[in-house]
Amino acid sequence: MSMSGSRPPARRIFGVETEYGITCAPTSDGLPPLDADHAARELFDPVVQRSRSSNVFTRGGARLYLDVGSHPEFATAECDRLADLLAQDRAGELVMADLAQQANARLAAAGVPGRIHLLKNNRDAEGNGFGCHENYLVRRRGDFWNDARTLVPHLVTRQILVGAGHITADAEARRAPHSSGLGYSSYVFSQRADQMWDAVSSATTRARPLINTRDEPHADAERYRRMHVIVGDSNVAQGSTLLKVAAMDLLLDYLESGGDLSDLTLADPIRAIRDTCHDLSGGALLELSDGRTMTSLEMQAEHLDRLRNHVAGDLEVTELHAAALDLWERGLQAVRLQQPELVATELDWAAKHQLVTRYCQLHGTDLADPRVTRLTLAYHDVSPEQGLRQRLENAGMLRRFVDDEACRRAIDTPPATTRAHLRGVVVARAEDLRRDLTVDWVSLRLDDGASPTVTLSDPFCAADERVDALLENMEHSATDLPAGV
C-alpha cells in the first residue's frame, strides 16, 4: 500500500537514543539493597566481562552503554526505514530486559534480597529527569537552523499525540486547573515537557532545549549535519514511536522541498509546552509571535494539513508513513472529542490513561493512590515478568506495527540498507573469532597493530571493499593464533 505521488520522501537516516531508569527494589519491605549506581554496575557486569567496557556496539549495529548518572542507554543503529527503527527500538528493550533477568538471577544466587527494574520512562520517584533523544540526518545547508527553529511549534504540541502520559505531583496539579484528574494529583500528556527550559541550545542538561545544536553528524561533515531532538518522551507503544519519527521525517522533507512553517512561530515556546502538557482538552491557548493565538489542537491540525497537501501533491509514501498520518488524524480526533479510548491501543498517553482510569473506578480510589503509581511504573517496566507491555500486546490492547520476530531478530541483525550493516557484521565476526576491535559510529579498527582504521563517512552505504578486506584479515589472523587461544 502507498499513497499516490511522484517520488518517495528523501532518504534519511534516523535513530533513537533511550536512557532507562533503573532501581533495585527490595523483595520485602525495607531499604533498597543496591542504589542506582551499584544496580547499574551489576546490570552491565556481563557486558564488561565480555568486552572489558561498559560502552559497546552490538551485532545489531546499535550502541549499548552506561551513561553519566548511572543510566543504561541504548542507541539504535542507523535506520532509513521506519520498520527497522521500530524493530531496533524494541530490540533495545529486549536487550535491557535480558540484562536485568541475568542480574536478578545473580542477586538471588548471592542471597541479595532485591530485584532490578528497568523503566523506559523519563522521571524517577525523586523527580529527576532523563531523556529519549531522536536523531535525523539532514543535508548541510546555510539556512538549516532557520528551518529547524520553525519545527519548534510542532515539538511543543506533538505531546498531545505522542506523550507518554504522566501523573503530576500535588504541587504541579494545583498549578494546572485544566488537567484531568482527581484531588490534587492530575493526569497530563507528557513526562518530559515540564523538564524543558529552552527552545534551541547547545546545552543538553543545564538548559534542556527541545533541539540541541551540537554539530556532531557522525558522517561527512561537509555534506551532512544531525538534528538532535531531546524533547521526546520515552515511548512503549509502537504507534507512538512510529508517529513521532514519521512525522518529523515528513516535516523535514516538506521543509527541504520549499515548505514553510515560519508563520506558526510561538512567542514563548517554554510556556506553551507547559500549558499544552497540562490541558488534556488540547485547548491550551498559545500565543504566536505575530500576536495571533492557536490552541495546541489547532497547531497540530495545521501541521497535519500541510503535510497532507505535501503528500498529495508530491510524495509516494510507504505503508508505515501512511499509517502514521492516519494515526495522527485519529489522535487529534480523540483529543477533540475527549475520547482517549479511540487510540488507546496505539498511543501511550491514551493507553495509560485508560489503565489508570479503569483502575481508579474499579477500586474506588484516585490518582494519588500509591497503587496507581505502581501501575504506571509497570507500564514502563521492560521486564516480561513485571512489565505490562508484552501482556497488553498479547491481549490486543496495544497494537504491534512490527512483529516480535522482527524485533528479536534486530538484536543481532543490523538494518541491511545502512552503514549499520557493515558495523554489525564486523562486530559479530570479531566476537566469534575473539578478536579485539575498536568501534565507533564512523570507524572500525582491528587491534592487531597492523590493520588500518576503516572510516565509514557515508551512513547510507551498506557495502564497502575495505570492510571486506578487514573481514578477510580477521579470518587470516585468527588462523595464525596458537592452539587453544
Side-chain angles (χ1 to χ4, degrees):
M1 172 184 170
S2 64
M3 297 178 67
S4 61
S6 59
R7 67 171 181 88
R11 189 180 176 205
R12 189 179 316 282
I13 297 291
F14 36 71
V16 174
E17 309 165 31
T18 303
E19 296 176 350
Y20 286 77
I22 187 169
T23 186
C24 186
T27 53
S28 58
D29 291 341
L31 296 174
L34 298 177
D35 60 21
D37 181 59
H38 286 89
R41 292 182 189 182
E42 182 65 42
L43 183 79
F44 269 71
D45 181 68
V47 178
V48 174
Q49 292 292 332
R50 183 174 65 248
S51 305
R52 301 190 297 278
S53 175
S54 60
N55 179 5
V56 299
F57 282 84
T58 73
R59 290 169 175 251
R63 183 185 175 203
L64 171 67
Y65 57 110
L66 196 56
D67 203 4
V68 176
S70 301
H71 288 304
E73 183 159 350
F74 187 91
T76 67
E78 303 92 328
C79 301
D80 65 348
R81 300 181 296 195
L82 292 169
D84 287 338
L85 188 280
L86 293 178
Q88 280 271 323
D89 183 56
R90 180 58 54 78
E93 294 180 34
L94 298 173
V95 167
M96 291 295 183
D98 183 57
L99 287 175
Q101 185 178 40
Q102 294 179 51
N104 287 327
R106 293 194 302 273
L107 293 178
V112 177
R115 184 176 185 84
I116 289 175
H117 295 263
L118 285 173
L119 305 171
K120 195 183 185 190
N121 67 351
N122 302 101
R123 300 175 78 125
D124 63 18
E126 285 73 43
N128 299 312
F130 34 97
C132 177
H133 301 174
E134 304 147 58
N135 297 302
Y136 302 91
L137 198 70
V138 297
R139 298 282 175 178
R140 186 170 291 276
R141 49 197 174 83
D143 60 349
F144 166 74
W145 284 116
N146 292 330
D147 282 351
R149 290 177 187 278
T150 67
L151 288 166
V152 167
H154 169 67
L155 295 174
V156 163
T157 56
R158 70 176 184 173
Q159 61 182 296
I160 72 173
L161 298 165
V162 299
H166 177 56
I167 297 175
T168 64
D170 288 357
E172 293 175 288
R174 290 191 185 100
R175 295 195 299 268
H178 300 294
S179 302
S180 173
L182 302 172
Y184 283 123
S185 288
S186 182
Y187 192 87
V188 299
F189 280 117
S190 171
Q191 295 182 339
R192 191 75 169 145
D194 285 332
Q195 300 173 0
M196 311 312 292
W197 293 100
D198 204 349
V200 179
S201 169
S202 61
T204 55
T205 56
R206 175 181 51 82
R208 281 214 184 114
L210 281 64
I211 300 175
N212 174 250
T213 61
R214 184 176 58 199
D215 192 0
E216 191 179 11
H218 297 312
D220 183 346
E222 293 186 359
R223 299 176 60 194
Y224 303 110
R225 71 175 307 141
R226 178 174 58 132
M227 191 171 80
H228 191 50
V229 176
I230 66 176
V231 66
D233 284 17
S234 296
N235 293 120
V236 173
Q238 285 190 346
S240 292
T241 302
L242 170 64
L243 179 50
K244 178 169 66 178
V245 176
M248 283 298 295
D249 183 29
L250 290 175
L251 283 167
L252 285 167
D253 189 272
Y254 170 75
L255 292 173
E256 291 166 350
S257 302
D260 186 13
L261 298 170
S262 62
D263 58 313
L264 302 177
T265 303
L266 294 167
D268 187 345
I270 301 309
R271 177 178 178 180
I273 200 171
R274 285 159 171 68
D275 289 348
T276 296
C277 179
H278 289 269
D279 190 339
L280 279 195
S281 74
L285 200 60
L286 314 180
E287 183 181 355
L288 275 61
S289 296
D290 61 9
R292 292 179 296 142
T293 58
M294 297 179 73
T295 66
S296 305
L297 193 60
E298 290 169 342
M299 180 68 78
Q300 276 298 302
E302 180 63 27
H303 281 79
L304 176 58
D305 284 347
R306 295 189 190 192
L307 278 191
R308 287 283 194 198
N309 291 332
H310 178 54
V311 167
D314 192 32
L315 293 187
E316 181 178 356
V317 297
T318 67
E319 184 175 353
L320 283 176
H321 280 100
L325 290 170
D326 172 68
L327 181 54
W328 194 338
E329 190 166 309
R330 290 187 293 108
L332 294 180
Q333 183 76 345
V335 175
R336 187 177 295 113
L337 297 177
Q338 290 294 277
Q339 295 179 9
E341 64 273 13
L342 296 178
V343 287
T345 62
E346 295 161 290
L347 298 179
D348 281 312
W349 77 267
K352 200 181 346 178
H353 183 277
Q354 184 162 276
L355 281 175
V356 299
T357 299
R358 288 179 176 175
Y359 187 92
C360 289
Q361 291 171 347
L362 180 63
H363 295 277
T365 188
D366 62 26
L367 297 177
D369 192 311
R371 294 174 296 176
V372 176
T373 300
R374 288 195 292 270
L375 179 65
T376 61
L377 289 175
Y379 184 85
H380 294 276
D381 196 323
V382 300
S383 164
E385 297 83 12
Q386 305 296 320
L388 297 179
R389 190 269 302 168
Q390 191 169 39
R391 282 177 275 177
L392 291 171
E393 287 184 344
N394 290 343
M397 296 175 68
L398 271 185
R399 178 181 173 186
R400 291 187 179 110
F401 286 82
V402 175
D403 64 34
D404 260 1
E405 182 180 351
C407 296
R408 293 191 177 279
R409 191 164 56 245
I411 296 174
D412 293 320
T413 306
T417 55
T418 72
R419 175 177 63 194
H421 170 73
L422 300 172
R423 182 188 310 113
V425 168
V426 172
V427 168
R429 197 61 188 139
E431 288 183 355
D432 291 342
L433 297 173
R434 294 186 294 173
R435 310 304 295 149
D436 289 334
L437 186 73
T438 298
V439 189
D440 61 26
W441 289 110
V442 299
S443 63
L444 304 164
R445 188 183 76 242
L446 183 62
D447 296 334
D448 60 356
S451 299
T453 298
V454 176
T455 301
L456 305 171
S457 59
D458 185 355
F460 294 102
C461 184
D464 194 297
E465 293 180 354
R466 296 169 302 158
V467 173
D468 296 337
L470 176 62
L471 289 167
E472 184 176 355
N473 189 20
M474 289 168 60
E475 299 286 349
H476 289 316
S477 59
T479 61
D480 295 336
L481 289 173
V485 176

mmCIF file of all heavy atoms in Angstrom, residues 90-130:
data_model
loop_
_atom_site.group_PDB
_atom_site.id
_atom_site.type_symbol
_atom_site.label_atom_id
_atom_site.label_comp_id
_atom_site.label_asym_id
_atom_site.label_seq_id
_atom_site.Cartn_x
_atom_site.Cartn_y
_atom_site.Cartn_z
ATOM 1 N N ARG A 90 12.608 -1.613 19.835
ATOM 2 C CA ARG A 90 12.113 -2.710 20.655
ATOM 3 C C ARG A 90 13.244 -3.679 21.009
ATOM 4 O O ARG A 90 13.263 -4.249 22.116
ATOM 5 C CB ARG A 90 10.981 -3.436 19.931
ATOM 6 C CG ARG A 90 10.368 -4.615 20.684
ATOM 7 C CD ARG A 90 9.781 -4.265 22.052
ATOM 8 N NE ARG A 90 8.827 -3.197 22.040
ATOM 9 C CZ ARG A 90 7.549 -3.302 21.657
ATOM 10 N NH1 ARG A 90 7.076 -4.465 21.245
ATOM 11 N NH2 ARG A 90 6.748 -2.254 21.713
ATOM 12 N N ALA A 91 14.196 -3.873 20.106
ATOM 13 C CA ALA A 91 15.350 -4.711 20.421
ATOM 14 C C ALA A 91 16.093 -4.174 21.629
ATOM 15 O O ALA A 91 16.598 -4.946 22.458
ATOM 16 C CB ALA A 91 16.286 -4.792 19.211
ATOM 17 N N GLY A 92 16.152 -2.849 21.757
ATOM 18 C CA GLY A 92 16.777 -2.255 22.936
ATOM 19 C C GLY A 92 16.075 -2.668 24.216
ATOM 20 O O GLY A 92 16.719 -2.988 25.229
ATOM 21 N N GLU A 93 14.753 -2.672 24.205
ATOM 22 C CA GLU A 93 14.001 -3.124 25.376
ATOM 23 C C GLU A 93 14.329 -4.585 25.695
ATOM 24 O O GLU A 93 14.502 -4.948 26.875
ATOM 25 C CB GLU A 93 12.504 -2.993 25.121
ATOM 26 C CG GLU A 93 11.986 -1.577 24.966
ATOM 27 C CD GLU A 93 10.492 -1.557 24.718
ATOM 28 O OE1 GLU A 93 9.784 -2.429 25.261
ATOM 29 O OE2 GLU A 93 10.031 -0.682 23.960
ATOM 30 N N LEU A 94 14.402 -5.417 24.672
ATOM 31 C CA LEU A 94 14.652 -6.832 24.889
ATOM 32 C C LEU A 94 16.059 -7.073 25.435
ATOM 33 O O LEU A 94 16.259 -7.926 26.307
ATOM 34 C CB LEU A 94 14.454 -7.596 23.572
ATOM 35 C CG LEU A 94 13.040 -7.542 22.985
ATOM 36 C CD1 LEU A 94 13.005 -8.181 21.602
ATOM 37 C CD2 LEU A 94 12.036 -8.222 23.908
ATOM 38 N N VAL A 95 17.037 -6.318 24.937
ATOM 39 C CA VAL A 95 18.402 -6.427 25.450
ATOM 40 C C VAL A 95 18.445 -6.030 26.924
ATOM 41 O O VAL A 95 19.047 -6.716 27.762
ATOM 42 C CB VAL A 95 19.364 -5.553 24.623
ATOM 43 C CG1 VAL A 95 20.712 -5.405 25.324
ATOM 44 C CG2 VAL A 95 19.554 -6.140 23.235
ATOM 45 N N MET A 96 17.794 -4.918 27.255
ATOM 46 C CA MET A 96 17.782 -4.459 28.642
ATOM 47 C C MET A 96 17.063 -5.459 29.547
ATOM 48 O O MET A 96 17.498 -5.732 30.676
ATOM 49 C CB MET A 96 17.108 -3.090 28.727
ATOM 50 C CG MET A 96 17.892 -1.967 28.085
ATOM 51 S SD MET A 96 19.459 -1.652 28.934
ATOM 52 C CE MET A 96 20.056 -0.236 27.981
ATOM 53 N N ALA A 97 15.966 -6.010 29.070
ATOM 54 C CA ALA A 97 15.224 -6.987 29.869
ATOM 55 C C ALA A 97 16.073 -8.226 30.138
ATOM 56 O O ALA A 97 16.052 -8.787 31.244
ATOM 57 C CB ALA A 97 13.933 -7.378 29.155
ATOM 58 N N ASP A 98 16.838 -8.654 29.130
ATOM 59 C CA ASP A 98 17.694 -9.824 29.305
ATOM 60 C C ASP A 98 18.804 -9.547 30.316
ATOM 61 O O ASP A 98 19.116 -10.397 31.165
ATOM 62 C CB ASP A 98 18.287 -10.225 27.957
ATOM 63 C CG ASP A 98 19.146 -11.480 28.049
ATOM 64 O OD1 ASP A 98 18.631 -12.514 28.500
ATOM 65 O OD2 ASP A 98 20.329 -11.422 27.677
ATOM 66 N N LEU A 99 19.413 -8.353 30.249
ATOM 67 C CA LEU A 99 20.445 -7.992 31.219
ATOM 68 C C LEU A 99 19.874 -7.958 32.633
ATOM 69 O O LEU A 99 20.526 -8.411 33.590
ATOM 70 C CB LEU A 99 21.046 -6.631 30.864
ATOM 71 C CG LEU A 99 21.972 -6.579 29.645
ATOM 72 C CD1 LEU A 99 22.376 -5.146 29.347
ATOM 73 C CD2 LEU A 99 23.210 -7.443 29.856
ATOM 74 N N ALA A 100 18.655 -7.422 32.777
ATOM 75 C CA ALA A 100 18.022 -7.371 34.098
ATOM 76 C C ALA A 100 17.739 -8.768 34.628
ATOM 77 O O ALA A 100 17.937 -9.057 35.813
ATOM 78 C CB ALA A 100 16.737 -6.548 34.035
ATOM 79 N N GLN A 101 17.277 -9.656 33.756
ATOM 80 C CA GLN A 101 16.986 -11.030 34.177
ATOM 81 C C GLN A 101 18.261 -11.727 34.656
ATOM 82 O O GLN A 101 18.260 -12.416 35.693
ATOM 83 C CB GLN A 101 16.361 -11.801 33.016
ATOM 84 C CG GLN A 101 15.908 -13.207 33.381
ATOM 85 C CD GLN A 101 15.257 -13.912 32.202
ATOM 86 O OE1 GLN A 101 15.707 -13.796 31.056
ATOM 87 N NE2 GLN A 101 14.180 -14.633 32.468
ATOM 88 N N GLN A 102 19.359 -11.538 33.929
ATOM 89 C CA GLN A 102 20.627 -12.133 34.343
ATOM 90 C C GLN A 102 21.090 -11.554 35.674
ATOM 91 O O GLN A 102 21.568 -12.296 36.558
ATOM 92 C CB GLN A 102 21.690 -11.883 33.277
ATOM 93 C CG GLN A 102 21.455 -12.578 31.950
ATOM 94 C CD GLN A 102 22.556 -12.238 30.950
ATOM 95 O OE1 GLN A 102 23.751 -12.363 31.248
ATOM 96 N NE2 GLN A 102 22.159 -11.792 29.769
ATOM 97 N N ALA A 103 20.969 -10.238 35.829
ATOM 98 C CA ALA A 103 21.402 -9.589 37.066
ATOM 99 C C ALA A 103 20.580 -10.076 38.250
ATOM 100 O O ALA A 103 21.120 -10.335 39.336
ATOM 101 C CB ALA A 103 21.300 -8.075 36.924
ATOM 102 N N ASN A 104 19.293 -10.219 38.067
ATOM 103 C CA ASN A 104 18.437 -10.670 39.158
ATOM 104 C C ASN A 104 18.725 -12.119 39.547
ATOM 105 O O ASN A 104 18.638 -12.487 40.722
ATOM 106 C CB ASN A 104 16.966 -10.483 38.782
ATOM 107 C CG ASN A 104 16.546 -9.027 38.799
ATOM 108 O OD1 ASN A 104 17.052 -8.244 39.602
ATOM 109 N ND2 ASN A 104 15.640 -8.643 37.910
ATOM 110 N N ALA A 105 19.089 -12.924 38.572
ATOM 111 C CA ALA A 105 19.482 -14.301 38.877
ATOM 112 C C ALA A 105 20.757 -14.324 39.715
ATOM 113 O O ALA A 105 20.884 -15.114 40.664
ATOM 114 C CB ALA A 105 19.676 -15.087 37.586
ATOM 115 N N ARG A 106 21.709 -13.441 39.387
ATOM 116 C CA ARG A 106 22.946 -13.370 40.174
ATOM 117 C C ARG A 106 22.669 -12.863 41.587
ATOM 118 O O ARG A 106 23.251 -13.364 42.561
ATOM 119 C CB ARG A 106 23.974 -12.464 39.477
ATOM 120 C CG ARG A 106 24.490 -13.013 38.153
ATOM 121 C CD ARG A 106 25.731 -12.254 37.682
ATOM 122 N NE ARG A 106 25.477 -10.825 37.523
ATOM 123 C CZ ARG A 106 25.006 -10.283 36.407
ATOM 124 N NH1 ARG A 106 24.703 -11.056 35.355
ATOM 125 N NH2 ARG A 106 24.820 -8.979 36.317
ATOM 126 N N LEU A 107 21.796 -11.860 41.721
ATOM 127 C CA LEU A 107 21.457 -11.349 43.048
ATOM 128 C C LEU A 107 20.807 -12.431 43.898
ATOM 129 O O LEU A 107 21.122 -12.585 45.087
ATOM 130 C CB LEU A 107 20.528 -10.136 42.926
ATOM 131 C CG LEU A 107 21.117 -8.864 42.310
ATOM 132 C CD1 LEU A 107 20.045 -7.770 42.229
ATOM 133 C CD2 LEU A 107 22.317 -8.358 43.106
ATOM 134 N N ALA A 108 19.895 -13.178 43.292
ATOM 135 C CA ALA A 108 19.220 -14.245 44.034
ATOM 136 C C ALA A 108 20.213 -15.314 44.476
ATOM 137 O O ALA A 108 20.159 -15.809 45.614
ATOM 138 C CB ALA A 108 18.119 -14.867 43.169
ATOM 139 N N ALA A 109 21.131 -15.671 43.586
ATOM 140 C CA ALA A 109 22.123 -16.683 43.929
ATOM 141 C C ALA A 109 23.045 -16.217 45.052
ATOM 142 O O ALA A 109 23.530 -17.028 45.858
ATOM 143 C CB ALA A 109 22.947 -17.046 42.687
ATOM 144 N N ALA A 110 23.279 -14.898 45.120
ATOM 145 C CA ALA A 110 24.141 -14.341 46.161
ATOM 146 C C ALA A 110 23.375 -14.030 47.445
ATOM 147 O O ALA A 110 23.964 -13.543 48.417
ATOM 148 C CB ALA A 110 24.817 -13.076 45.648
ATOM 149 N N GLY A 111 22.068 -14.285 47.446
ATOM 150 C CA GLY A 111 21.271 -14.029 48.633
ATOM 151 C C GLY A 111 20.948 -12.560 48.868
ATOM 152 O O GLY A 111 20.607 -12.170 49.985
ATOM 153 N N VAL A 112 21.041 -11.742 47.812
ATOM 154 C CA VAL A 112 20.716 -10.316 47.950
ATOM 155 C C VAL A 112 19.210 -10.149 47.791
ATOM 156 O O VAL A 112 18.644 -10.529 46.758
ATOM 157 C CB VAL A 112 21.456 -9.474 46.883
ATOM 158 C CG1 VAL A 112 21.053 -8.001 46.995
ATOM 159 C CG2 VAL A 112 22.957 -9.639 47.022
ATOM 160 N N PRO A 113 18.517 -9.578 48.791
ATOM 161 C CA PRO A 113 17.043 -9.500 48.751
ATOM 162 C C PRO A 113 16.534 -8.326 47.927
ATOM 163 O O PRO A 113 15.889 -7.418 48.432
ATOM 164 C CB PRO A 113 16.684 -9.328 50.221
ATOM 165 C CG PRO A 113 17.834 -8.538 50.781
ATOM 166 C CD PRO A 113 19.065 -9.027 50.051
ATOM 167 N N GLY A 114 16.828 -8.327 46.644
ATOM 168 C CA GLY A 114 16.389 -7.225 45.801
ATOM 169 C C GLY A 114 16.185 -7.659 44.367
ATOM 170 O O GLY A 114 16.646 -8.723 43.950
ATOM 171 N N ARG A 115 15.493 -6.811 43.609
ATOM 172 C CA ARG A 115 15.218 -7.102 42.209
ATOM 173 C C ARG A 115 15.410 -5.824 41.392
ATOM 174 O O ARG A 115 14.821 -4.781 41.707
ATOM 175 C CB ARG A 115 13.793 -7.628 42.035
ATOM 176 C CG ARG A 115 13.464 -8.046 40.619
ATOM 177 C CD ARG A 115 12.072 -8.646 40.508
ATOM 178 N NE ARG A 115 11.850 -9.144 39.163
ATOM 179 C CZ ARG A 115 12.232 -10.336 38.728
ATOM 180 N NH1 ARG A 115 12.841 -11.156 39.554
ATOM 181 N NH2 ARG A 115 11.992 -10.710 37.484
ATOM 182 N N ILE A 116 16.234 -5.900 40.345
ATOM 183 C CA ILE A 116 16.494 -4.741 39.496
ATOM 184 C C ILE A 116 15.346 -4.560 38.504
ATOM 185 O O ILE A 116 14.891 -5.520 37.874
ATOM 186 C CB ILE A 116 17.831 -4.920 38.754
ATOM 187 C CG1 ILE A 116 19.000 -4.798 39.749
ATOM 188 C CG2 ILE A 116 17.981 -3.899 37.626
ATOM 189 C CD1 ILE A 116 20.354 -5.072 39.136
ATOM 190 N N HIS A 117 14.881 -3.322 38.414
ATOM 191 C CA HIS A 117 13.837 -2.956 37.455
ATOM 192 C C HIS A 117 14.401 -1.909 36.500
ATOM 193 O O HIS A 117 15.065 -0.958 36.926
ATOM 194 C CB HIS A 117 12.610 -2.368 38.163
ATOM 195 C CG HIS A 117 11.904 -3.333 39.059
ATOM 196 N ND1 HIS A 117 10.793 -4.042 38.663
ATOM 197 C CD2 HIS A 117 12.159 -3.710 40.341
ATOM 198 C CE1 HIS A 117 10.381 -4.812 39.651
ATOM 199 N NE2 HIS A 117 11.193 -4.631 40.682
ATOM 200 N N LEU A 118 14.131 -2.077 35.219
ATOM 201 C CA LEU A 118 14.496 -1.098 34.202
ATOM 202 C C LEU A 118 13.225 -0.493 33.643
ATOM 203 O O LEU A 118 12.317 -1.205 33.221
ATOM 204 C CB LEU A 118 15.302 -1.756 33.079
ATOM 205 C CG LEU A 118 16.755 -2.096 33.423
ATOM 206 C CD1 LEU A 118 17.384 -2.889 32.304
ATOM 207 C CD2 LEU A 118 17.551 -0.828 33.679
ATOM 208 N N LEU A 119 13.183 0.831 33.639
ATOM 209 C CA LEU A 119 11.971 1.555 33.268
ATOM 210 C C LEU A 119 12.226 2.416 32.040
ATOM 211 O O LEU A 119 13.131 3.255 32.043
ATOM 212 C CB LEU A 119 11.497 2.430 34.429
ATOM 213 C CG LEU A 119 11.280 1.696 35.758
ATOM 214 C CD1 LEU A 119 11.024 2.689 36.879
ATOM 215 C CD2 LEU A 119 10.131 0.711 35.650
ATOM 216 N N LYS A 120 11.419 2.208 31.024
ATOM 217 C CA LYS A 120 11.521 3.018 29.810
ATOM 218 C C LYS A 120 10.603 4.223 29.980
ATOM 219 O O LYS A 120 9.527 4.323 29.401
ATOM 220 C CB LYS A 120 11.126 2.198 28.582
ATOM 221 C CG LYS A 120 11.548 2.839 27.255
ATOM 222 C CD LYS A 120 11.069 2.007 26.072
ATOM 223 C CE LYS A 120 11.591 2.577 24.759
ATOM 224 N NZ LYS A 120 10.959 1.939 23.583
ATOM 225 N N ASN A 121 11.056 5.150 30.837
ATOM 226 C CA ASN A 121 10.290 6.364 31.089
ATOM 227 C C ASN A 121 11.245 7.543 31.224
ATOM 228 O O ASN A 121 12.410 7.434 30.832
ATOM 229 C CB ASN A 121 9.391 6.196 32.314
ATOM 230 C CG ASN A 121 10.180 6.057 33.604
ATOM 231 O OD1 ASN A 121 11.406 5.915 33.594
ATOM 232 N ND2 ASN A 121 9.492 6.080 34.724
ATOM 233 N N ASN A 122 10.786 8.664 31.762
ATOM 234 C CA ASN A 122 11.616 9.875 31.788
ATOM 235 C C ASN A 122 11.758 10.537 33.151
ATOM 236 O O ASN A 122 12.362 11.596 33.249
ATOM 237 C CB ASN A 122 11.055 10.921 30.812
ATOM 238 C CG ASN A 122 10.982 10.418 29.394
ATOM 239 O OD1 ASN A 122 9.913 10.038 28.925
ATOM 240 N ND2 ASN A 122 12.109 10.363 28.712
ATOM 241 N N ARG A 123 11.205 9.916 34.198
ATOM 242 C CA ARG A 123 11.312 10.522 35.525
ATOM 243 C C ARG A 123 11.425 9.424 36.569
ATOM 244 O O ARG A 123 10.816 8.363 36.429
ATOM 245 C CB ARG A 123 10.069 11.370 35.847
ATOM 246 C CG ARG A 123 9.824 12.518 34.893
ATOM 247 C CD ARG A 123 8.515 13.231 35.199
ATOM 248 N NE ARG A 123 8.647 14.110 36.328
ATOM 249 C CZ ARG A 123 8.355 15.402 36.302
ATOM 250 N NH1 ARG A 123 7.933 15.944 35.184
ATOM 251 N NH2 ARG A 123 8.471 16.148 37.354
ATOM 252 N N ASP A 124 12.213 9.706 37.636
ATOM 253 C CA ASP A 124 12.246 8.769 38.743
ATOM 254 C C ASP A 124 11.402 9.300 39.898
ATOM 255 O O ASP A 124 10.766 10.361 39.792
ATOM 256 C CB ASP A 124 13.681 8.470 39.188
ATOM 257 C CG ASP A 124 14.417 9.704 39.722
ATOM 258 O OD1 ASP A 124 13.748 10.703 40.077
ATOM 259 O OD2 ASP A 124 15.656 9.661 39.785
ATOM 260 N N ALA A 125 11.382 8.552 41.011
ATOM 261 C CA ALA A 125 10.495 8.903 42.128
ATOM 262 C C ALA A 125 10.853 10.242 42.749
ATOM 263 O O ALA A 125 10.010 10.883 43.386
ATOM 264 C CB ALA A 125 10.555 7.800 43.193
ATOM 265 N N GLU A 126 12.109 10.687 42.587
ATOM 266 C CA GLU A 126 12.531 11.968 43.149
ATOM 267 C C GLU A 126 12.327 13.129 42.177
ATOM 268 O O GLU A 126 12.658 14.262 42.485
ATOM 269 C CB GLU A 126 14.012 11.902 43.550
ATOM 270 C CG GLU A 126 14.292 11.117 44.829
ATOM 271 C CD GLU A 126 14.134 9.616 44.613
ATOM 272 O OE1 GLU A 126 14.603 9.118 43.566
ATOM 273 O OE2 GLU A 126 13.526 8.955 45.465
ATOM 274 N N GLY A 127 11.784 12.842 40.998
ATOM 275 C CA GLY A 127 11.538 13.893 40.022
ATOM 276 C C GLY A 127 12.698 14.177 39.100
ATOM 277 O O GLY A 127 12.638 15.097 38.278
ATOM 278 N N ASN A 128 13.805 13.422 39.217
ATOM 279 C CA ASN A 128 14.933 13.597 38.305
ATOM 280 C C ASN A 128 14.532 13.135 36.910
ATOM 281 O O ASN A 128 13.789 12.165 36.751
ATOM 282 C CB ASN A 128 16.143 12.783 38.791
ATOM 283 C CG ASN A 128 16.610 13.211 40.162
ATOM 284 O OD1 ASN A 128 16.771 14.397 40.427
ATOM 285 N ND2 ASN A 128 16.827 12.247 41.044
ATOM 286 N N GLY A 129 15.056 13.837 35.906
ATOM 287 C CA GLY A 129 14.662 13.535 34.540
ATOM 288 C C GLY A 129 15.775 12.913 33.723
ATOM 289 O O GLY A 129 16.956 13.157 33.961
ATOM 290 N N PHE A 130 15.398 12.086 32.761
ATOM 291 C CA PHE A 130 16.336 11.540 31.795
ATOM 292 C C PHE A 130 15.607 11.417 30.476
ATOM 293 O O PHE A 130 14.381 11.500 30.422
ATOM 294 C CB PHE A 130 16.934 10.209 32.262
ATOM 295 C CG PHE A 130 16.013 9.335 33.057
ATOM 296 C CD1 PHE A 130 15.317 8.307 32.466
ATOM 297 C CD2 PHE A 130 15.843 9.552 34.419
ATOM 298 C CE1 PHE A 130 14.479 7.497 33.213
ATOM 299 C CE2 PHE A 130 15.004 8.743 35.176
ATOM 300 C CZ PHE A 130 14.309 7.721 34.570
#
